[in-house]
Amino acid sequence: MSRVERVARVRARMEAIGVDALLLSLGADLPWLTGYEAMPLERLTMLVLPADGDATLVVPRLEAPRVQHDPGLFRLRPWSETEDPVQVVAELVGARPRLAVSDRTWATFVLQLQASLRGVSWQAASVVTGPLRAVKDPEEVAALRRAAAAADRVAAALVAGEVRLVGRTEADVAADLHARLRAEGHDRINFVIVGSGPNSASPHHEPGPRIIGEGEAVVCDFGGTVDGYCSDTTRTVFTGLPPAEFRDLYAAVQRAQASAVEAAVVGTPCEDIDGVARRVIEEAGYGPQFVHRTGHGIGLEEHEDPYLVGGNCDPLVAGHAFSIEPGIYVDGRWGTRIEDIVVATGAGPESLNTVSHDLAVVA
Ligand code: ZN
Ligand code: ZN
Ligand code: ZN
């Protein structure tokens, strides 16, 4: 879908929900619409997109050369060091009373804008952009597929035992995975989690100096960016022969993950997919140890709409891309998670990650 089409869809949705001007700063909405990503700086960058007029990108003069300016999409309004960019934005907004501002805009700018623009209403820009960005067009799905394939080549090496674990620190293994993700084509690495032994029970464990031993669960969760779109996958491996208790726990997560993928059919409420995974894990006796939602949308951001979580009744739409990543975490002992990125299509759910889910015994 062209950027012009995206802008047209955004305007239509602004019209439908009653937003007179959209103000985009940090975050993924701006690059999604214009191809330009604002730097997270103390200088304000902001696209002012009125429902009824031309869009203008207010940008620090020194950053203007980095803007790929498409005059069909927006006007460029560089501001110099002695100007007040909040004033520039306020003038472009004019008398429009219903505004939506990027969720990630620095509070300092939101507060200054609120002081300048009196008697207006504010919403988060994601109210406008969230449902639109959640539905990926074919080029976006292709980019997600390339990112998933790059991550899969690393996951495949991991489960094949090509990444040595025993005797190395978590941090060392994380650096190894980081380098492999780069080598497989990621432009940027967003995160690498390596949780071994008792640390595998902490879902977002920060890899540290712990040396990985024999007979341990190791949760490896990593992701990066290819052409702007994110990968995110998790495999749990075991160093040495897993005891029966761990095999049972792992099998429950494996069943939960597969059942949730199967349930990810267009039209199904997001919370029902979470419910499917949760029921399997509850029946295995580990309900309280599944401490997070089943999944999150993914695209230009690692976590975005739609969220597969209790309370989200929105139905899946063809083009929704999201993780399915149930886990069980037994405090102080061990944990397991299996995560793939899935796209909802008219022909059913498609897993972009395809590395085996069978429990890999590695060294
Ligand atoms: Zn996570
Ligand atoms: Zn992950
Ligand atoms: Zn994830």
Side-chain angles (χ1 to χ4, degrees), residues 47-334:
L47 181 82
V48 180
L49 174 66
D52 62 346
D54 290 336
T56 305
L57 184 65
V58 177
V59 65
R61 184 170 295 286
L62 75 166
E63 283 167 47
R66 298 193 310 114
V67 180
Q68 289 258 347
H69 185 211
D70 177 352
L73 220 50
F74 57 86
R75 293 187 301 132
L76 203 55
R77 171 60 170 90
W79 59 271
S80 63
E81 298 284 53
T82 54
E83 274 185 291
D84 176 3
V86 170
Q87 222 25 65
V88 175
V89 168
E91 275 161 30
L92 288 165
V93 169
R96 298 178 181 89
R98 297 170 302 176
L99 310 179
V101 63
S102 286
D103 299 41
R104 313 265 185 272
T105 306
W106 294 132
T108 183
F109 295 125
V110 176
L111 291 170
Q112 289 176 57
L113 284 163
Q114 287 181 334
S116 297
L117 294 159
R118 296 296 184 152
V120 300
S121 68
W122 294 93
Q123 290 191 81
S126 57
V127 173
V128 177
T129 57
L132 299 176
R133 267 181 46 205
V135 179
K136 272 66 186 179
D137 64 34
E139 298 95 84
E140 291 182 293
V141 172
L144 284 168
R145 193 174 275 122
R146 287 195 296 279
D152 265 6
R153 290 191 286 274
V154 179
L158 176 71
V159 303
E162 290 163 26
V163 182
R164 178 126 204 116
L165 299 177
V166 175
R168 294 173 79 186
T169 65
E170 293 171 348
D172 189 26
V173 172
D176 188 346
L177 294 173
H178 193 284
R180 286 169 187 262
L181 289 163
R182 277 301 276 220
E184 294 298 351
H186 286 88
D187 312 316
R188 193 170 73 195
I189 312 307
N190 294 335
F191 66 95
V192 177
I193 295 168
V194 176
S196 65
N199 291 342
S200 61
S202 168
H204 280 172
H205 176 68
E206 182 77 31
R210 185 179 186 279
I211 293 169
I212 301 171
E214 202 95 41
E216 295 184 346
V218 185
V219 172
C220 298
D221 182 355
F222 40 81
T225 303
V226 175
D227 302 327
Y229 284 80
C230 293
S231 65
D232 184 7
T233 190
T234 308
R235 288 296 181 271
T236 302
V237 297
F238 207 88
T239 57
L241 276 189
E245 192 186 351
F246 185 83
R247 269 187 273 122
D248 290 346
L249 174 159
Y250 186 92
V253 172
Q254 194 173 358
R255 280 199 309 278
Q257 205 278 344
S259 312
V261 172
E262 220 171 287
V265 172
V266 167
T268 307
C270 288
E271 67 173 3
D272 287 10
I273 299 153
D274 179 82
V276 165
R278 209 158 293 280
R279 208 162 313 121
V280 173
I281 288 177
E282 276 164 9
E283 278 163 14
Y286 286 105
Q289 280 80 39
F290 179 15
V291 294
H292 55 72
R293 65 192 172 210
T294 292
H296 54 83
I298 188 166
L300 289 168
E301 285 183 293
E302 201 68 64
H303 292 184
E304 58 182 44
D305 285 329
Y307 293 97
L308 308 185
V309 63
N312 182 5
C313 308
D314 293 345
L316 278 188
V317 171
H320 273 167
F322 45 86
S323 71
I324 293 201
E325 51 175 312
I328 294 175
Y329 310 93
V330 183
D331 238 9
R333 284 196 78 194
W334 49 31

